[in-house]
Amino acid sequence: MAEETRERLLAAAQTLFAERGFHGTSLAHVAGALGLTKQALLYHFKRKEELYGEVLRRISARLLGVVRGAQEAQGPDAVEALTEVILALHRASQRDPQVTRIVLRELLDNHARAASAKDWYLRPLLDEITALLRACPGQSRASFAEAFALTYQLLGAVEYFAASGETLRGMYGEAAMAEVAAAYPKALRRQIQRLAAAG
Amino acid sequence: MAEETRERLLAAAQTLFAERGFHGTSLAHVAGALGLTKQALLYHFKRKEELYGEVLRRISARLLGVVRGAQEAQGPDAVEALTEVILALHRASQRDPQVTRIVLRELLDNHARAASAKDWYLRPLLDEITALLRACPGQSRASFAEAFALTYQLLGAVEYFAASGETLRGMYGEAAMAEVAAAYPKALRRQIQRLAAAG
DNA sequence: GAGCGCACTTACCGATCGGTAAGGGCTCAA
DNA sequence: TTGAGCCCTTACCGATCGGTAAGTGCGCTC
């Protein structure tokens, strides 16, 4: 079946793009991961950019799903919803660091392209978190810029940590980093509560 | 003079590595930025890795200089010193986003290599910030893991924002992002004071 | 002014890149 | 039994990659 091969190719491509980036990943390498030739890959995706674009599209849909899901699981309380959204992003990024890696790479590689695209694929995510933040009692009088700065601090804290995971484990050891990983969501939660609470 | 050419090659290489990554940067491209052939570059640096390594070495030395400088400019007050260190890193990353981009790329590309290197070139930076944090009254009873989590949240907030600058400007416009950039150090300062203060 | 070495060139190498062209084997319908 | 179409193959293309080998011109020393 073509559909199954397509899925497996996309999975292999996601792994390799995350690991080695767009330039560092060859079509032959992706196809080889399934025991196929690169022409089999080119049969399913006409160009390398098409393959990459499809990987990105699925990632962005999935991230948005994480955010929406966390948001809906909570009631209308903005602080709780914001907390759950950030923690859900943190959990997702820890469970599957590939996604974080690719998002970061996209930020680095295609900042020129992304800059001209008003509708960057992560923008809905940013806008939703910022809106949630401004709905919190502690930030009710915050300007867009102030709320956005806080959004980015939260997002940066989540994503940067996820991207660093493997390096940190190598540096400090598995045990020490397990402790840090346990402390991380608690610290995130505390930070959100401090800045979201009234007063 | 050889030394001057070497410096200019390193500067060009830094720009291109930041922009397109290790795999996406060719020796011919770096040399071409100076109007030279790639063999001129290979005369000064025997291998591509040697060029890249030298760029990394200078960046790490410079970052450590920023941290040490900010630390020494302050008195023995840990909260003030920590604040100044983080803000100095923020200013440096805003002034010269290339450095941030390369550090992030290194995190993504060489996590396997970096993981086996116990002395990753950014480790002193992490350790110093963590030590500063634990010297703050609000964190005096924090474990290493707890303090390290906070360190990484601060660092992530600084670096992720710097790496995103160009994309964000393209998405939200120059004016809006100028406001955010103005709000950012204030938000960082507030966050540090909240978590570092006694109580 | 002959010789020497520094800084750089042209010429070339094999490997690998993304992508095209053409064909082969398989299934299934008529 | 034949023909169509799907999925994948081998064969090949020009461009570009990092890197080697062998000069070349220029300035300096003796």
Side-chain angles (χ1 to χ4, degrees), chain A residues 114-128:
Chain A
S116 67
K118 292 277 185 222
D119 49 333
W120 190 44
Y121 64 101
L122 282 189
R123 174 159 190 176
L125 204 145
L126 292 181
D127 288 341
E128 262 184 78

Side-chain angles (χ1 to χ4, degrees), chain B residues 5 21 31 65 81 93-94 109 159 170 173:
Chain B
T5 303
S93 72
Q94 290 294 107
D109 287 338
E159 301 284 296

Side-chain angles (χ1 to χ4, degrees), chain B:
Chain B
M1 203 200 320
E3 196 53 39
E4 187 191 325
T5 303
R6 216 182 122 92
E7 290 301 314
R8 294 177 60 213
L9 282 171
L10 282 169
Q14 174 172 312
T15 299
L16 285 167
F17 282 139
E19 212 65 21
R20 314 165 52 101
F22 181 81
H23 292 299
T25 300
S26 72
L27 298 181
H29 202 152
V30 173
L34 275 71
L36 297 177
T37 64
K38 72 171 165 177
Q39 285 71 20
L41 193 161
L42 284 167
Y43 172 76
H44 294 279
F45 304 90
K46 293 194 177 183
R47 344 213 81 226
K48 192 185 184 184
E49 267 88 4
E50 188 180 321
L51 172 66
Y52 180 66
E54 185 61 23
V55 168
L56 273 192
R57 211 191 49 74
R58 292 155 57 98
I59 282 181
S60 106
R62 184 173 145 195
L63 276 182
L64 205 56
V66 167
V67 170
R68 296 262 159 84
Q71 208 170 349
E72 284 165 12
Q74 295 300 313
D77 183 311
V79 181
E80 278 181 30
L82 176 66
T83 306
E84 196 44 50
V85 163
I86 296 293
L87 288 180
L89 281 173
H90 172 68
R91 282 191 300 269
S93 72
Q94 290 294 107
R95 187 189 330 122
D96 186 2
Q98 279 182 10
V99 170
T100 300
R101 298 184 105 82
I102 292 187
V103 168
L104 260 173
R105 284 189 186 281
E106 173 69 6
L107 211 54
L108 292 169
D109 287 338
N110 296 328
H111 59 100
R113 180 217 300 177
S116 66
K118 291 276 184 223
D119 49 333
W120 190 43
Y121 64 102
L122 282 189
R123 174 159 189 176
L125 205 144
L126 293 180
D127 288 342
E128 263 184 77
I129 297 178
T130 304
L132 267 181
L133 240 167
R134 298 183 80 180
C136 291
Q139 302 294 329
S140 57
R141 285 171 311 182
S143 67
F144 167 79
E146 288 165 341
F148 191 83
L150 292 175
T151 296
Y152 232 74
Q153 291 187 6
L154 290 171
L155 214 56
V158 167
E159 301 284 296
Y160 197 70
F161 182 64
S164 310
E166 206 160 330
T167 300
L168 293 178
R169 272 193 296 277
M171 256 196 307
Y172 291 95
E174 200 76 46
M177 283 317 292
E179 276 186 62
V180 175
Y184 215 81
K186 291 178 191 165
L188 280 175
R189 186 186 289 274
R190 233 174 293 136
Q191 188 192 341
I192 296 168
Q193 278 168 352
R194 271 195 296 256
L195 61 85

